[in-house]
Structure formats: structure tokens, C-alpha cells
Amino acid sequence: MSNNFSKMNKYLFLVLCIIPMLSCFSQIHYEKGYFIDTDGTKVECLIKNIEWKNNPSRFDYKLSDNSEELKASTANVNEFVIYGAAKFVKATVNIDRSDQSVDGMSTKRNPEFQNETVFLRVITEGKADLFQLSDSKLEKYFFRVSESSIEQLVFKKYFIDVGKFGENNLFRQQLTVSLKCPGISLESMSSIRYNKTELAKLFITYNKCEGDIAADDHINVTQVSKKHWFNLTIRPGVEFSSFSIRNTNVNYLNMDFDNKIGFRLGMEAEFILPFNKNKWSIIIEPSYQHYKDGTINRGEHVNVRYNSIETPISIRHYFFLSDRSRIFVNAGLTLDYDMNSTIDFEKPSSSDLNISANLNYNFGTGYKFDRYSLELRYFTPRNLLNQYTYYQGAYNKVAIIVGYSLFRANGQ
């Protein structure tokens, strides 16, 4: 029976690998937008939306669905927009790229500028504009009031002595001087933090104060308004599992138990990562699972009772088919906490075995529609007897899980 289960595992694992590969081909990468070239000409086109976490220096586009793929960059484009998704403008600005890590932190308090031409992401627009520049090592903000030039809002951490660091918060003074408005107090300026949410709210307040009554409409879809990044889903399901014992010293202690169908109940907490259009998330799913069976080995009854709370911690990726429908894949580690789980031998001369599992991996693929979901999940074999030198207890499992989301993140 366990050989049949092993073959089923292989087929299911193959399915888990193939489905996400097929779903990749269904993704729409080109979206409607436009760019303005260096001559000031506006070109309506389809832009390949890579959903940049970091600011791009170039992008791919097509003039129509069936036309060839073309490339553009800061060399020939002043601005580009993907409707409802992102806006970037080219700017030649002074950038402080001082290392902010503890090991490489600068000892200088003042910014160390270098002049660069980059695409800046538009966060808010109005009389006062806010921009963002992100890459793997920094996140900086820039601003422009009326027709002035774009300049960096200066925030810099610097090294003073062992275990002692300072902060240059010049950006607060820059904002106090540039964004004067009855609705903005000096107290709020002195405590504002250097992050997108607080800065964008300030710029929206200023633009409204200056008579831009549609200031909220000028927020780029990097969305600075309050978002919910959390899903909570109840997850019952059915599990198909098997168990076998191998002893490397004594062959007659090798035993195969039956395949079992059991029920599981879990609660999934999903934290949506705030980039790439909500396509990536981290999931934690404590669930109760159990396996119980018995066999006769050389005239002796042997019973296994395995109850545990297992907690997969995984990364999930969504492939959106529509606003309400998506395919997903996930992979991660499974932590397991057994609860009085044992292998009992009938004869007093035989020593019972305590079950204690080690880490194993899990892979899943599924479909989600609104609040409802269905997932097929494969668990790599786990050794339930890892505390014993000569024993191995191979526990194999595949689960079919249904879900209903009690709370949902924005855009989910």
C-alpha cells in the first residue's frame, strides 16, 4: 500500500510543478499606458508592467498587441505611465547614496551627493509633488513645489562612535520652509517621519490647503492611504497519509501501516507584501492533524497514534486571472509539534517509541475566488522517529484544503 502511496506522491508532486508553469503563460504582462519622449511627443502604447519594487531605468513597450517589442529608457523618455498602476518621471537630481548599514555607515553628518539621471516614481501630484526612489540599498524621497527643481528630502543616519549613531533630519526643515499652510502645524512638521505614508499625507494636506480640492485624486497607485495587508482564512480539509517503520539493525521491525484518509482543521494568517500588486505574501497556518493505525508484526499488535499541530510557514505567489479570480502557488517549511504521540508495542518485552518529527517542506497550488479557495498541498516525507539512531519513521501526506476568508486584504 505504501508503494502505491509513494507513486501517487510522485504524480501529485509533478502536477504541483506543472500547474504554476502553465499558469505563467496566462499572465498579461503588457498594459495600456503612454510615454512622453524627449521631443515632447506623447505616445499611447502597451507597457510591460514588471510591477517594479525598485525604480526602473528602462522599460519595454509595444505600439499594439501584435507589434514588436521595443525598448525605452531615460535616454529617450521624459515620463511614462501605466494607467491605474504607476507613473514615473525623468529627473536629473542630486542623490545621497550613503550606506545606511551599521558596517558601512558614513561618519559624515551632511549628505554626500552625486548627480544622476533617474526615473522617479510619482507618489502625489498637485502644487507640491512627492517622488520616491527605491533600490535594494536605499529609499529616498524627493519633492517639487510649483515649478521649482526637484530636490531630495534629506534624511541620513551617520556613525558617531561605537554603539552611537546620529540622524540628520534636514527634511523637516525643508518641508517647514516649503510647505507653509494654516492646516499644517510646526509641531506636526517637527515629528513627521521619513516614510511614504506620513510624507504623502502631508503633501495632500498642503495641496488641498492651496486650493487643489482634488488632491486625493493625484495619489499614484503606490497608494498611501490606509491599506489592509492581512487575510485570515479558516481552512478545513482532507488528508491522505501513510506511515512506515524501518530499523537498520533488525529487519523484522520493519513495518508498513495502511494509507489513511483523515480530516484536518487549520487557520491561515496571510500577510500581503506591499509591492508587486499584492501578488506575494507570507502565510502561517497552524492546523491540527492526526494519524492512527495498527498492524500485526510477528504476532504482536503494534499501534501508532500521531497527533500534532503542524505549522507551515510559506511564501505564496498569485497569478491574477481577473479582479475576483486567481491561481496561486506556495512553498515553505513545516514546523511540527506532536501531542503525546507514540508507537505502542503489545508485548511488555518491546519498548514503545516516542514520536518526534523534524522539519520538512511543503508545496501547494490552488485557486481562489473572492473569499473561497481550494488547494492541493504536498508534504515531503518527515521522519517521526528522528530521535532514534536505528529507526526511521516515514510519514507521507497529501492534503486537499478548502478555505473561507473571514478578513480580506485590500485588492484581495
Side-chain angles (χ1 to χ4, degrees), residues 134-275:
S134 299
D135 64 26
S136 58
K137 294 184 178 180
L138 62 81
E139 183 169 299
K140 299 293 184 182
Y141 296 94
F142 296 76
F143 78 113
R144 174 175 60 195
V145 179
S146 298
E147 298 302 318
S148 64
S149 59
I150 298 175
E151 64 177 287
Q152 181 181 320
L153 289 167
V154 175
F155 171 76
K156 179 182 178 180
K157 292 182 179 180
Y158 58 94
F159 178 82
I160 298 176
D161 203 346
V162 177
K164 188 176 181 181
F165 306 94
E167 287 187 358
N168 181 343
N169 291 297
L170 180 62
F171 76 97
R172 291 172 179 162
Q173 181 180 338
Q174 293 173 283
L175 295 171
T176 301
V177 171
S178 300
L179 305 184
K180 293 182 178 179
C181 164
I184 301 174
S185 67
L186 290 176
E187 182 181 357
S188 64
M189 285 292 201
S190 63
S191 60
I192 190 170
R193 291 178 294 180
Y194 197 79
N195 63 55
K196 182 168 63 179
T197 300
E198 293 197 18
L199 290 173
K201 286 181 179 178
L202 173 66
F203 275 73
I204 292 168
T205 300
Y206 174 77
N207 286 333
K208 286 183 175 180
C209 185
E210 290 296 311
D212 188 352
I213 59 174
D216 286 329
D217 296 332
H218 298 319
I219 305 172
N220 188 261
V221 294
T222 48
Q223 289 300 337
V224 295
S225 56
K226 186 175 181 180
K227 273 186 169 289
H228 303 289
W229 301 107
F230 178 72
N231 289 330
L232 184 65
T233 304
I234 186 169
R235 303 255 294 175
V238 179
E239 297 181 332
F240 305 87
S241 52
S242 72
F243 180 62
S244 62
I245 296 174
R246 295 292 180 266
N247 188 296
T248 56
N249 272 359
V250 184
N251 288 335
Y252 69 78
L253 290 176
N254 296 338
M255 288 170 273
D256 292 322
F257 295 83
D258 286 340
N259 296 341
K260 290 291 183 178
I261 298 176
F263 294 96
R264 53 98 72 188
L265 181 62
M267 184 68 74
E268 178 188 270
E270 180 178 16
F271 303 89
I272 308 298
L273 300 179
F275 55 83

Side-chain angles (χ1 to χ4, degrees), residues 252 300 345-352:
Y252 69 78
E300 178 181 19
F345 291 83
E346 180 185 25
K347 296 179 180 179
S349 58
S350 301
S351 298
D352 293 342

Side-chain angles (χ1 to χ4, degrees), residues 30-63:
Y30 284 86
E31 299 181 17
K32 290 182 179 180
Y34 71 84
F35 67 85
I36 299 175
D37 64 21
T38 50
D39 293 327
T41 303
K42 182 177 179 179
V43 179
E44 294 284 343
C45 60
L46 300 170
I47 296 176
K48 190 173 185 178
N49 189 358
I50 304 177
E51 300 162 346
W52 302 273
K53 181 179 183 294
N54 300 325
N55 292 42
S57 59
R58 59 182 62 85
F59 62 91
D60 298 329
Y61 71 97
K62 291 181 178 182
L63 296 177

Side-chain angles (χ1 to χ4, degrees), residues 7 13-14 18 29 38 70 112 117-118 135 197 205 221 223 228-229 248 274 279 292 302 317 320 349 357 366 384 411:
K7 289 179 181 179
F13 184 68
L14 182 61
I18 291 175
H29 294 293
T38 50
L70 302 171
E112 300 165 69
T117 299
V118 295
D135 64 26
T197 300
T205 300
V221 294
Q223 289 300 337
H228 303 289
W229 301 107
T248 56
K279 285 190 174 184
K292 184 178 181 181
V302 181
H317 182 67
F320 286 86
S349 58
L384 301 187

